[in-house]
Amino acid sequence: MNTTRTTTIRPGLATRAPGTEHERGDAMTAVLDIHELHRTFGSGHTAVTALDEVTLSVARGELVAIMGPSGCGKSTLLTLAGGLDEPTRGRVLVEGHDLAEQRADARAELRRRTIGYVFQELNLLPGLTAAENVSLPLELDRMRLREARRAAHAVLEEVGLTEHADRFPEDLSGGEQQRVAIARALVGDRRLLLADEPTGALDSVAGEGVLRLLRRACDERGAACVLVTHDAAQAAWADRIVFLRDGRVVDHAGAATVSLGGGR
Amino acid sequence: MPVRHGLLALLGEGPSHGYQLKVDFEARTGGSWTLNIGQVYTTLARLERDGLVIEVDDPEPDPDRRTVAVTDEGRKVAEEWFATPVEVGTPPRDELTIKVLLALAAPDLDLAEVLQQQRRVTLESLQELTRRKRALDPDTDLAALLQIDAEVLRIEAQARWLDQVEQRLAVGRRPATS
Ligand SMILES: Nc1ncnc2c1ncn2[C@@H]1O[C@H](COP(=O)(O)OP(=O)(O)OP(=O)(O)O)[C@@H](O)[C@H]1O
Ligand SMILES: [Mg+2]
């Protein structure tokens, strides 16, 4: 049937969506470039192919949502994009650096300085205040304490938590904890944000608050962001939506409208 | 009848006239519901006939502008309207539901593709609504924001239903046909 052809895989869009170049310049290099990525877990007849030839590019200032049914490979994709796991085949480039070609220490540095993660389990350290949780990655990166704290307070202000900076996670609501986790992911001018179901069990208005923060990080800081979500209303905050099925990119939404969105 | 009750509710805030009621109604509903002025006048005429509104003196009389006020009876009707929950009712026959139900058994049809095509369109309309939402200020554009929220939830329900159809049929688990 002729009309059904339109939804099959459209690899052209996956590799180079029109208009992904962002107004802020360095248009040519995508912040994240994933090329024919493949990940198989296990081997022999128990092998599971979690990702199958996924190609995806995310530009500066762009928010891309990944949607698909449970088990389709969304988290695997995000983990590989962040260099937390290694692909069976294929390449991941972050700001032009091929993760596989980097020495372990250089890759660790890239992970610390360039990439911010927000996962559903927030992993905030209970013994540290909000500000300490946020400044910790900078301190681990040997930034001077005062500088790290100053940077932490700046991002906490950005996420609207200045007044709660000295509270411990257990004294914050779920939504506030989520914002601390986002602040921790943003701190130190990280340019690639990877968020896996970041709104957890928040109600829809609080969840929307999280999406607004991610959107702002893209619009105002020029961060590139990949958001994994089940939720259509949340995915709709993205410039582009990538649909995964059984480890493959099967469709895109919104790619054409990105090119229209020049100056805001 | 929402227009009738809407006008009564607005008049509960103070006397007004036809054109002003039209403007206020549209502003308060976030521009989601436009009234034509003829409809406002006929509705007011019926309300007047039923004793729910009454003409009052205008400080600046103008033959085209009859100022009306709500009567006690009219106020009671408006209060009852607010106090009565809206019927949930049966949704109108929905083309998408019918299409998918018929697609289930249609020969030579890739249902997964039918669902995905719809999902893409659904997500793109949600993206468009979200872009509109982003431009609004929650403090000054509350009516428009709430109106978009309602629309987003309606369309989101469609996206969730598509996912549910797919999960129930587990068509997504079939190896990709390429
Ligand atoms: N460490 C692992 N070892 C073996 N199999 C794995 C591992 N991690 C993921 N998988 C398998 O890979 C597939 C993709 O998993 P993944 O976690 O990426 O899915 P997902 O799309 O994030 O699902 P969900 O929406 O449920 O979070 C699944 O079949 C999963 O069982
Ligand atoms: Mg997952």
Side-chain angles (χ1 to χ4, degrees), chain A residues 4-26:
Chain A
T4 55
R5 287 301 307 166
T6 49
T7 53
T8 50
I9 304 160
R10 294 189 287 174
L13 286 173
T15 40
R16 185 141 304 151
T20 48
E21 46 276 284
H22 200 262
E23 62 204 274
R24 286 177 185 81
D26 44 316

Side-chain angles (χ1 to χ4, degrees), chain A residues 141-212:
Chain A
D141 205 23
R142 291 191 293 278
M143 185 186 270
R144 284 188 18 244
L145 188 65
R146 279 197 27 215
E147 240 177 287
R149 289 293 154 84
R150 197 175 324 123
H153 277 97
V155 266
L156 282 171
E157 185 179 350
E158 213 173 296
V159 302
L161 280 182
T162 303
E163 265 140 49
H164 298 339
D166 296 324
R167 288 211 198 162
F168 291 96
E170 63 175 7
D171 301 328
L172 294 169
S173 74
E176 289 160 352
Q177 291 180 28
Q178 212 86 25
R179 283 190 275 161
V180 175
I182 289 177
R184 184 185 53 185
L186 287 172
V187 78
D189 194 28
R190 252 91 51 97
R191 292 166 312 269
L192 175 60
L193 283 181
L194 303 173
D196 198 345
E197 303 276 0
T199 61
L202 303 182
D203 66 40
S204 54
V205 172
E208 184 177 302
V210 170
L211 269 303
R212 282 185 193 272

Side-chain angles (χ1 to χ4, degrees), chain A residues 41 48 50 69-76 230:
Chain A
F41 293 106
V48 175
S70 197
C72 72
K74 304 181 294 298
S75 297
T76 303
H230 279 103

